[in-house]
Amino acid sequence: SKVGRVDLTNFVNSCKKVNAAGGGASDWETLAETIDAKLAQSVPWQQRVNVMQGLEALLTRFGDDGPPSELKEYFLENPEDITRNKKVVQSSLAEAAKKVSALIGIPEKKAPSAQTANAALNTLGEQTWRSSDAMDDM
């Protein structure tokens, strides 16, 4: 379910017209909120692919400076729906979400490593040991 090149171009051009007409930060935030709502899990995955492709087009084809910063800022502050779509079974949606996430600069959340967990356990063990010594001194 790929959005046509013409449709994406029309979408980007419509956004450029809003911007040229003096569309302010609130217009871009409203657009970001609308896009975000269409990326929710309740929306069929095929539609989410189309929305993700539209967002990618907006981020890459808007112009030299890209779209107004409000768009990226919104998704940096609210990355959940994009991040969630990176983990879906449908590979076309997951790939689109990964591209958009990279374009926006959403940081990857790394799972803690076993080494980190062991270090935390060792620290906890030392604290427990110290507190039991303190109890003996009483």
Side-chain angles (χ1 to χ4, degrees), residues 1 11 22 29 56 59 73 78 91-92 94 96-97 101 105 114 125-126:
S1 131
F11 173 65
E29 192 164 319
E56 179 186 348
L59 292 164
E73 286 169 13
N78 305 282
S91 61
S92 56
S101 181
E126 288 172 18

Side-chain angles (χ1 to χ4, degrees), residues 12-25 27-28 62 66-68 70:
V12 172
N13 287 339
S14 295
C15 291
K16 284 181 179 181
K17 286 177 187 167
V18 168
N19 197 49
D27 291 331
W28 285 99
F62 195 81
E70 289 84 6

Side-chain angles (χ1 to χ4, degrees), residues 98-117:
K98 287 173 187 168
K99 275 188 193 174
V100 167
S101 181
L103 287 167
I104 292 172
I106 295 172
E108 292 291 323
K109 289 189 177 166
K110 292 190 169 78
S113 67
Q115 190 175 4
T116 306

Side-chain angles (χ1 to χ4, degrees), residues 63-129:
D64 293 341
D65 296 332
S69 60
E70 289 84 6
L71 189 69
K72 278 187 177 181
E73 286 169 13
Y74 175 87
F75 287 106
L76 284 170
E77 291 171 13
N78 305 282
E80 300 80 17
D81 285 318
I82 291 174
T83 302
R84 201 174 296 121
N85 281 301
K86 289 169 35 175
K87 299 172 187 151
V88 295
V89 176
Q90 296 81 12
S91 61
S92 56
L93 176 55
E95 287 304 312
K98 287 173 187 168
K99 275 188 193 174
V100 167
S101 181
L103 287 167
I104 292 172
I106 295 172
E108 292 291 323
K109 289 189 177 166
K110 292 190 169 78
S113 67
Q115 190 175 4
T116 306
N118 285 338
L121 275 174
N122 289 339
T123 303
L124 183 63
E126 288 172 18
Q127 289 172 346
T128 306
W129 180 73

Side-chain angles (χ1 to χ4, degrees), residues 14-79:
S14 295
C15 291
K16 284 181 179 181
K17 286 177 187 167
V18 168
N19 197 49
S26 64
D27 291 331
W28 285 99
E29 192 164 319
T30 301
L31 176 63
E33 288 170 357
T34 303
I35 290 171
D36 199 24
K38 298 284 184 189
L39 294 174
Q41 297 299 295
S42 58
V43 176
W45 73 268
Q46 296 91 337
Q47 289 179 18
R48 286 184 274 152
V49 170
N50 292 344
V51 172
M52 207 66 80
Q53 290 170 344
L55 182 53
E56 179 186 348
L58 199 51
L59 292 164
T60 57
R61 301 184 194 174
F62 195 81
D64 293 341
D65 296 332
S69 60
E70 289 84 6
L71 189 69
K72 278 187 177 181
E73 286 169 13
Y74 175 87
F75 287 106
L76 284 170
E77 291 171 13
N78 305 282

